[in-house]
Amino acid sequence: PILTLIEVSPSGSKQGMTLDGEFDKNISYICLGSDSASSPLCVASRNRIVLWRSLDYIDEVQHLSDDFEGNVQHICFDSTHSLIAACVENDVFIYDVKSFRRILELDGHISRVTGSTFLRVNKAELSISISEDRTFRVWDLTSRSLLWESSVISASPFTCITTDPRCLK
């Protein structure tokens, strides 16, 4: 599939852009960085993650990864757009955007991971993952360790996660 993005300005004018990431399967998740139109875009399909570092330079497509088996359920950037977390089946893979390499694998959930987010607390870089196993885990990316694992929280699995950065000030 080819991905077509349409930008609609406040005045209602539209501008289109076509991105071809050579996807061999259906697109399963799209994540746009949070700062501006020059933010990165990450698109995933089964067995492939493709990154455009900036929509201003759409010819700079990078095949971030095709070194895994499974469906990508979720992708997110850290606040500096230097890391990407990809939730693939029961694991979370952390990729370095600059080198396009997997730098860490967070495993331990017993069901599909449905979401993750990055969080900076003081100088610690953390990641929080949620899963269909109805638990969440807090990971310290600097020490590459699990900090905390919840017990089963509810009868229903977690489907999304968000954090409030104002809580950390």
Side-chain angles (χ1 to χ4, degrees), residues 96-108:
D96 175 72
V97 170
K98 190 172 186 176
S99 68
F100 303 108
R101 295 184 56 210
R102 185 192 309 178
I103 58 172
L104 191 56
E105 182 175 342
L106 309 175
D107 60 3

Side-chain angles (χ1 to χ4, degrees), residues 9-60:
S9 71
S11 66
S13 65
K14 298 177 184 175
Q15 179 178 354
M17 175 185 321
T18 300
L19 305 175
D20 184 1
E22 299 176 10
F23 294 102
D24 54 355
K25 305 280 183 187
N26 292 331
I27 293 171
S28 62
Y29 205 88
I30 299 173
C31 181
L32 179 64
S34 59
D35 289 340
S36 67
S38 63
S39 292
L41 173 70
C42 197
V43 179
S45 66
R46 181 168 180 79
N47 304 335
R48 177 166 291 174
I49 300 172
V50 177
L51 173 74
W52 288 268
R53 286 192 189 192
S54 169
L55 292 181
D56 290 340
Y57 305 99
I58 61 171
D59 294 334
E60 293 183 12

Side-chain angles (χ1 to χ4, degrees), residues 79-105:
S79 62
T80 63
H81 299 136
S82 60
L83 297 175
I84 293 174
C87 302
V88 180
E89 301 303 333
N90 298 0
D91 301 320
V92 179
F93 299 138
I94 307 294
Y95 292 93
D96 175 72
V97 170
K98 190 172 186 176
S99 68
F100 303 108
R101 295 184 56 210
R102 185 192 309 178
I103 58 172
L104 191 56
E105 182 175 342

Side-chain angles (χ1 to χ4, degrees), residues 95-139:
Y95 292 93
D96 175 72
V97 170
K98 190 172 186 176
S99 68
F100 303 108
R101 295 184 56 210
R102 185 192 309 178
I103 58 172
L104 191 56
E105 182 175 342
L106 309 175
D107 60 3
H109 283 288
I110 59 173
S111 290
R112 286 183 352 152
V113 178
T114 55
S116 68
T117 189
F118 290 98
L119 194 61
R120 186 176 298 270
V121 179
N122 298 320
K123 293 185 179 187
E125 184 74 33
L126 306 177
S127 179
I128 303 170
S129 59
I130 60 173
S131 171
E132 288 180 351
D133 64 13
R134 304 181 320 252
T135 67
F136 66 91
R137 293 171 177 243
V138 180
W139 309 87

